[in-house]
Amino acid sequence: MTLEDLANIEISSVLKRPERLSDAAAAVYVITSEDIRRSGYTSIPEILRLAPNLQVAREDSSNYAITARGFNSRSANKLEVLIDGRSVYTPLNSGVFWDVQDTLIEDIERIEVISGPGGTLWGSNAVNGVINIITRSSRDTQGTLLSGGGGTRERGAGARYGGKLGEDTTYRLYAKGFDRDGTQTNSGTDLQNSWNMQQAGFRIDSARATDTFTLQGDAYDGSIHQRTLADKTISGANLLGRWNRALADDANIQVQAYYDRTQRNYPGSAGFGEVLDTYDIDVQHRFRWRKDHDIVWGGGYRRERDHVDNSLFLQFLPRQKTLSRANIFVQDSIALSERLKFTLGLKLEHNNYTGLEWQPNARLAWKLNDRSLLWSAVSRAVRTPSRVDREFFVPAVPALAFPGFIGGDFTSEKLTAYEIGYRAQPTADTSFSVSTFYNVYDDLRSLEPSAGAGSPLVIANQMEGNTYGVEMWGNYRVNDWWRLSAGYNYLKKDLSLKSGSSDTTSLAGSETDPRHQFSLRSAMNLAHNVELDVSLRSIGTLSSTQVPRYTALDARLGWKVAKDVEVSLTAFNLLDKGHPEFGSGSARSEIGRSFYAKMLWKF
């Protein structure tokens, strides 16, 4: 793919309608299918390391901490993640269980990563960013694909078959499975947290005249080993349907509905179990008004019902809960001139805990010339309460001086964000993007003693502050067979407790993000269809958990044996035997050096 092709990629996450990447008034980075193939990564969380505007840290064999613009944790709660329009956010803690987010990696068409608020279009939880994972139409995955691989710490295999159900309808079926070894501590202790998953799914696409229809679904089952207890089990299934009708004058209407069931069981006195059923329907209509207005509006409704199995030390009260949220939104992109566009939008969303929330945004895009865009935005977004914030109970353990937790009268966390960015392709061989932001947060989560020192901690909203930073990335085509890509992030947080707060832990615990993050990738096409890819990333210190700065180097050597046959060998973490990326204490995992060989065959 040339840099011109990359600039012309159509994305949909910024405006909920197709637009060229080069015209998008947001800090958006696109991970292409070619980037994914040449990375050698085998899971979605690992693939997200390719986005320079994300912070990605692996905690052990199956858990990751992933966020944009700060506040990272295993249950980072300010990022909205979608797979083909299905939100994978959990109302349990407002985070994402990354251990069950998967698909056949070869079927991913692209991943659109927006750093910055997206609440106007994607709703609460899209506070610091949006990740939109988009898979290929079944029309583009016809025939058979077989893949298999194995290495020093992981083994996996997958198969897909695509065919036709008539002149206008295509389908594909897929199945995959993998197992990943457990991690070790710095002293070499085996943490015995190995992870395995099996998943299968299908997709049907039909296009007739002005109508298109998609039906797709997945089912999965897996387990995570525990040293002394029975294995954790994770399973689930989902089904999504989407209908789109093209109308006159570039107008269209879309209706999407899905059902999603997730189930997990963590045995043990500090474990828990949960069954969550989610029903979601979303309608949107796009039309032009006069010649200058491009309007998208719509609404949706989501119902979530969960049942939690409490344990001795982790409890949700009540055990069963039904949550619902309804929304309406409108966004108008106004062409002020041939090169100047102003976008104004608003979402109104009602939830069980805090009632009506409003999330507006305004964006200005100035096309300086055919190769450069200057943009700015002002947005408001909220993170509404989760069950952890309101209904979580952890009893005290006096022998360990542990005071326990109680869910409180938690309200929504609020963000007002100011952004400005510049994107350009000054030559056919060079492109870059620079964006800066200033985020003002209010009512952030804090832990307040309920009745003095030693009493249970109540989850409250007594922290506030601001963050600011710079995100930049670029591409340089050295020649026809060599391309370089680089990225850099700077993030500074200035948080404080409100008057009257007695919180003694939240401020110190908030420094879980690197202030500096740098990445460099090299992709070479050598003679005889050989590919050499090298990826370097340098991550700054996480002071809260005393994770030291580290630099990791991955390398992949691939060979296209024939048009449809490919073999590759990827080495991860070549610079050290192992290093921590997240977590604290002597029992945390070290992410070790590993190798993975893979074969891919299409016919």
Side-chain angles (χ1 to χ4, degrees), residues 269-438:
S269 57
F272 80 104
E274 185 205 19
V275 178
L276 170 66
D277 292 301
T278 301
Y279 305 85
D280 185 282
I281 185 167
D282 180 84
V283 181
Q284 72 173 55
H285 176 214
R286 176 195 172 193
F287 66 97
R288 290 188 178 277
W289 181 54
R290 299 179 176 173
K291 66 176 183 178
D292 302 328
H293 295 259
D294 193 337
I295 299 173
V296 179
W297 73 282
Y301 176 77
R302 182 178 303 167
R303 182 177 184 271
E304 298 160 314
R305 179 174 176 78
D306 73 353
H307 177 101
V308 178
D309 293 326
N310 292 324
S311 62
L312 182 62
F313 294 110
L314 295 179
Q315 298 174 12
F316 287 85
L317 304 174
R319 295 172 58 189
Q320 296 184 354
K321 186 81 175 183
T322 299
L323 300 171
S324 64
R325 62 181 69 226
N327 75 82
I328 57 172
F329 75 93
V330 60
Q331 180 159 286
D332 186 6
S333 298
I334 308 164
L336 301 178
S337 69
E338 184 179 354
R339 294 189 178 275
L340 189 63
K341 288 187 178 180
F342 178 62
T343 300
L344 189 64
L346 173 66
K347 169 163 279 190
L348 299 175
E349 184 175 284
H350 185 276
N351 69 88
N352 295 70
Y353 291 123
T354 62
L356 189 65
E357 300 282 0
W358 56 284
Q359 301 184 81
N361 95 96
R363 295 181 183 273
L364 189 65
W366 182 17
K367 196 82 174 176
L368 301 175
N369 52 55
D370 291 341
R371 290 182 172 272
S372 61
L373 176 78
L374 180 66
W375 63 270
S376 63
V378 180
S379 313
R380 182 181 189 272
V382 300
R383 201 275 289 179
T384 54
S386 66
R387 290 206 66 187
V388 164
D389 299 313
R390 285 293 188 100
E391 293 142 1
F392 194 42
F393 176 68
V394 181
V397 184
L400 300 176
F402 178 69
F405 294 98
I406 302 174
D409 191 20
F410 187 85
T411 62
S412 296
E413 296 179 325
K414 303 171 184 66
L415 164 68
T416 302
Y418 306 89
E419 303 173 273
I420 185 168
Y422 178 70
R423 182 183 300 114
Q425 187 183 353
T427 71
D429 299 326
T430 308
S431 67
F432 66 89
S433 171
V434 181
S435 57
T436 65
F437 62 91
Y438 182 76

Side-chain angles (χ1 to χ4, degrees), residues 337-566:
S337 69
E338 184 179 354
R339 294 189 178 275
L340 189 63
K341 288 187 178 180
F342 178 62
T343 300
L344 189 64
L346 173 66
K347 169 163 279 190
L348 299 175
E349 184 175 284
H350 185 276
N351 69 88
N352 295 70
Y353 291 123
T354 62
L356 189 65
E357 300 282 0
W358 56 284
Q359 301 184 81
N361 95 96
R363 295 181 183 273
L364 189 65
W366 182 17
K367 196 82 174 176
L368 301 175
N369 52 55
D370 291 341
R371 290 182 172 272
S372 61
L373 176 78
L374 180 66
W375 63 270
S376 63
V378 180
S379 313
R380 182 181 189 272
V382 300
R383 201 275 289 179
T384 54
S386 66
R387 290 206 66 187
V388 164
D389 299 313
R390 285 293 188 100
E391 293 142 1
F392 194 42
F393 176 68
V394 181
V397 184
L400 300 176
F402 178 69
F405 294 98
I406 302 174
D409 191 20
F410 187 85
T411 62
S412 296
E413 296 179 325
K414 303 171 184 66
L415 164 68
T416 302
Y418 306 89
E419 303 173 273
I420 185 168
Y422 178 70
R423 182 183 300 114
Q425 187 183 353
T427 71
D429 299 326
T430 308
S431 67
F432 66 89
S433 171
V434 181
S435 57
T436 65
F437 62 91
Y438 182 76
N439 288 350
V440 180
Y441 295 92
D442 194 12
D443 294 335
L444 291 171
R445 184 158 65 189
S446 63
L447 298 173
E448 307 293 333
S450 57
S455 59
L457 301 176
V458 177
I459 299 174
N461 297 86
Q462 293 297 306
M463 192 160 63
E464 61 186 358
N466 58 70
T467 67
Y468 56 90
V470 178
E471 298 164 339
M472 58 179 71
W473 55 81
N475 298 285
Y476 175 54
R477 192 180 66 171
V478 182
N479 50 47
D480 290 341
W481 54 270
W482 188 14
R483 175 174 154 183
L484 295 172
S485 304
Y488 171 74
N489 272 6
Y490 173 79
L491 172 67
K492 180 70 169 63
K493 292 197 286 192
D494 184 12
L495 306 177
S496 61
L497 298 172
K498 295 184 178 181
S499 175
S501 173
S502 300
D503 191 332
T504 60
T505 60
S506 295
L507 277 181
S510 66
E511 294 298 329
T512 55
D513 310 291
R515 182 168 297 183
H516 302 276
Q517 177 175 299
F518 171 77
S519 63
L520 176 65
R521 287 190 287 136
S522 166
M524 293 182 176
N525 297 323
L526 306 178
H528 307 293
N529 297 319
V530 174
E531 299 171 334
L532 176 61
D533 300 279
V534 179
S535 175
L536 178 81
R537 61 183 187 280
S538 180
I539 311 297
T541 302
L542 311 184
S543 57
S544 286
T545 52
Q546 297 183 334
V547 173
R549 179 175 65 85
Y550 66 89
T551 300
L553 179 70
D554 303 334
R556 171 185 172 273
L557 186 65
W559 179 33
K560 290 188 175 179
V561 181
K563 179 182 177 183
D564 297 321
V565 180
E566 176 184 312

Side-chain angles (χ1 to χ4, degrees), residues 145-162:
L145 178 147
L146 299 175
S147 68
T152 55
R153 296 180 183 273
E154 183 175 345
R155 296 144 294 279
R160 176 236 289 157
Y161 178 75

